[in-house]
Amino acid sequence: MNILILGSGGREHALAWAVMQNPKCDRLIVAPGNAGMAQIAECAMLDIEDGGAVAAFAQENTIDFVIVGPEAPLAAGVADRLREAGIKVFGPSAEAAKLEASKSFTKEICDAAHAPTAAYGHFTDAEAAKAYIREQGAPIVVKADGLAAGKGVIVAMDVETALDAIDDMFGGAFGGAGAEVVIEEFMDGEEASYFILCDGKTALPIGTAQDHKREGDGDTGLNTGGMGAYSPAPVLTDDIAARAMREIVQPTVDEMAKRGTPYQGVLYAGFMIKDGQARLVEYNVRFGDPECQVLMMRLGAQALDLMLACAEERLHEAQVNWADDHAMTVVMAANGYPGSYEKGSVINGLDALPEDSKNMVFHAGTTEVDGKITASGGRVLNVTARGDSLQEARDRAYAMIEGINWPEGFNRSDIGWRAL
Ligand code: AMP
Ligand code: GLY
């Protein structure tokens, strides 16, 4: 079959890598792709948030299956346009993508589904929001309702910080995303992510992971999109995961179906775990980046079969073949990230690295210039490895980093510290 993957990051490179290993894939196109994906697939220039353009491109190229990587095209209705055009797609409708695109919508679904999550208030008026904060006290969490590229959440340790966040959000710091705010009870505990395929009815877990959001070792410094991840996440034990499926995930899937907006795609559930129980922090309607890289490393070619079963509403007959393995990915970012950074530096040493089912460098922000791989983003490479233990996966990943010659980049040296 002919497959189109939308996106240009490490997540999409990992998806492309897994899909290419499956003999069902005859032709793979990625749009827009990056220098790493260009080594294994055709790259096409396409406005991936324009559903009409994506559907027309898919028809012209006799695409049988489209996998949508990032959330923006989903929130923009690209999956809807593809389904209307009769093209199979992995990813939820715009209505179902509200589970990520609107935090107040997610809270409403949790209420209806009786899913354990933080207590909250929802406001469109700054004074009412501030009164609620003063009444609740700190610590407290202030969230812009809409998509804010991971920056719309302020975990306030004191009331002043929370009140300032309200001024920022209603003042337009997050554009339209902050016109509504959700204010939540602060939950403490350990965070972990659970990835579940849903076909509208059936929910099938495909793995757990933990990422590292802070830029520096010891979880210090600024928040980033994620500096590394590993799977499985030991804190999300089988018992806690099974209970979370019963109490949170399946009731969410059932509630979405009941409303006539069934959820189809991967549901990325962020949990806060304490005293043996998970509570929902957030949903995302796509794979995590870089969590997808470790999941794909562990799933390999079967990922395509599972995503197809999801799109064809046959998850009830699908099965995940688990290996008792571990994977880790370490992000190499441009010096300065998540602040300003330079583009265009040359990365050497990649050609000499092993590329097999246990070692892969997924490209996140790279461009090929005159035959050389250059950095063109903040997060640039995802050095990913698999092993029988997390330690083995870690050692392989860091050994690959030793072979990469890129003075303009940096990486954390302690990915996986909680689990090791
Ligand atoms: P979100 O975009 O909702 O995942 O929030 C980003 C991050 O903020 C999460 O990964 C948590 O670390 C933190 N966070 C969000 N909500 C809460 C909460 N209610 N209590 C504690 N931390 C939170
Ligand atoms: N790594 C966090 C995310 O993809 O949202």
Side-chain angles (χ1 to χ4, degrees):
M1 61 194 319
N2 297 335
I3 299 174
L4 170 65
I5 297 180
L6 303 184
S8 62
R11 167 179 51 209
E12 289 79 21
H13 189 184
L15 289 166
W17 174 81
V19 161
M20 276 304 282
Q21 290 173 47
N22 192 308
K24 286 197 187 78
C25 178
D26 297 309
R27 181 177 178 208
L28 178 63
I29 305 181
V30 292
N34 62 35
M37 285 184 261
Q39 292 170 359
I40 59 170
E42 299 166 52
C43 295
M45 280 316 289
L46 186 59
D47 178 358
I48 65 168
E49 290 178 33
D50 178 343
V54 174
F57 178 89
Q59 277 165 334
E60 280 156 28
N61 290 279
T62 55
I63 296 292
D64 303 293
F65 187 39
V66 180
I67 299 169
V68 185
E71 65 278 14
L74 296 167
V78 169
D80 303 77
R81 298 295 88 73
L82 286 164
R83 286 195 184 97
E84 284 157 18
I87 299 160
K88 241 174 258 169
V89 55
F90 179 76
S93 66
E95 273 303 309
K98 281 167 75 181
L99 283 175
E100 175 166 358
S102 166
K103 301 209 186 271
S104 60
F105 177 78
T106 299
K107 296 306 260 187
E108 183 191 314
I109 295 290
C110 285
D111 285 347
H114 305 292
T117 183
Y120 75 108
H122 165 230
F123 302 91
T124 50
D125 171 73
E127 284 318 309
K130 288 183 179 176
Y132 181 79
I133 289 169
R134 291 196 186 95
E135 182 193 309
Q136 297 292 319
I140 194 157
V141 182
V142 180
K143 301 185 173 186
D145 184 70
L147 292 178
K151 296 189 183 75
V153 176
I154 308 294
V155 180
M157 287 302 157
D158 54 73
V159 167
E160 266 323 295
T161 306
L163 297 176
D164 288 348
I166 294 296
D167 285 332
D168 286 349
M169 286 182 191
F170 284 104
F174 301 101
E180 293 185 43
V181 300
V182 167
I183 302 176
E184 275 186 14
E185 163 201 359
F186 172 82
M187 297 188 282
D188 90 75
E190 191 170 341
E191 280 185 83
S193 306
Y194 204 19
F195 294 85
I196 305 113
L197 296 184
C198 309
D199 65 3
K201 212 161 150 190
T202 303
L204 179 71
I206 55 165
T208 63
Q210 252 173 323
D211 78 346
H212 297 63
K213 291 223 163 75
R214 301 293 186 132
E215 104 190 85
D217 280 1
D219 292 330
T220 55
L222 296 172
N223 256 320
T224 70
M227 293 301 291
Y230 54 95
S231 171
V235 62
L236 201 45
T237 61
D238 290 348
D239 283 350
I240 297 174
R243 184 168 168 195
M245 284 299 289
R246 272 197 318 275
E247 293 183 352
I248 303 175
V249 177
Q250 192 64 52
T252 298
V253 172
D254 295 345
E255 179 64 25
M256 293 299 286
K258 195 173 113 193
R259 291 176 179 227
T261 53
Y263 187 87
Q264 227 181 67
V266 62
L267 193 58
Y268 160 175
F271 294 142
M272 191 68 80
I273 297 159
K274 199 185 167 196
D275 301 332
Q277 200 203 347
R279 291 207 282 165
L280 185 76
V281 179
E282 63 163 349
Y283 281 130
N284 293 302
V285 299
R286 45 158 178 99
F287 283 109
D289 187 348
E291 292 91 332
C292 184
Q293 289 78 317
V294 285
L295 294 175
M296 291 305 126
M297 188 105 239
R298 295 185 65 206
L299 291 169
Q302 66 176 317
L304 174 59
D305 299 315
L306 293 167
M307 290 188 281
L308 267 174
C310 186
E312 293 170 350
E313 298 174 25
R314 322 180 261 101
L315 272 183
H316 58 278
E317 58 182 54
Q319 208 182 321
V320 185
N321 295 310
W322 293 109
D324 191 13
D325 60 0
H326 298 255
M328 181 180 292
T329 188
V330 181
V331 172
M332 295 187 82
N335 290 338
Y337 174 82
S340 63
Y341 52 82
E342 302 217 336
K343 293 185 182 176
S345 55
V346 175
I347 304 164
N348 286 306
L350 293 173
D351 286 347
L353 295 179
E355 281 197 355
D356 51 39
S357 64
K358 290 204 167 98
N359 301 274
M360 260 311 288
V361 177
F362 296 119
H363 290 219
T366 62
T367 306
E368 193 184 317
V369 179
D370 300 332
K372 294 197 168 77
I373 302 293
T374 67
S376 54
R379 292 190 292 171
V380 174
L381 299 172
N382 307 140
V383 183
T384 311
R386 192 158 66 91
D388 292 335
S389 64
L390 186 60
Q391 186 66 47
E392 193 177 276
R394 181 201 179 278
D395 292 345
R396 283 205 174 105
Y398 279 99
M400 280 193 277
I401 287 179
E402 287 299 310
I404 297 173
N405 179 3
W406 181 38
E408 294 84 0
F410 76 99
N411 58 270
R412 277 184 60 164
S413 67
D414 64 346
I415 300 304
W417 67 269
R418 268 178 209 280
L420 283 167

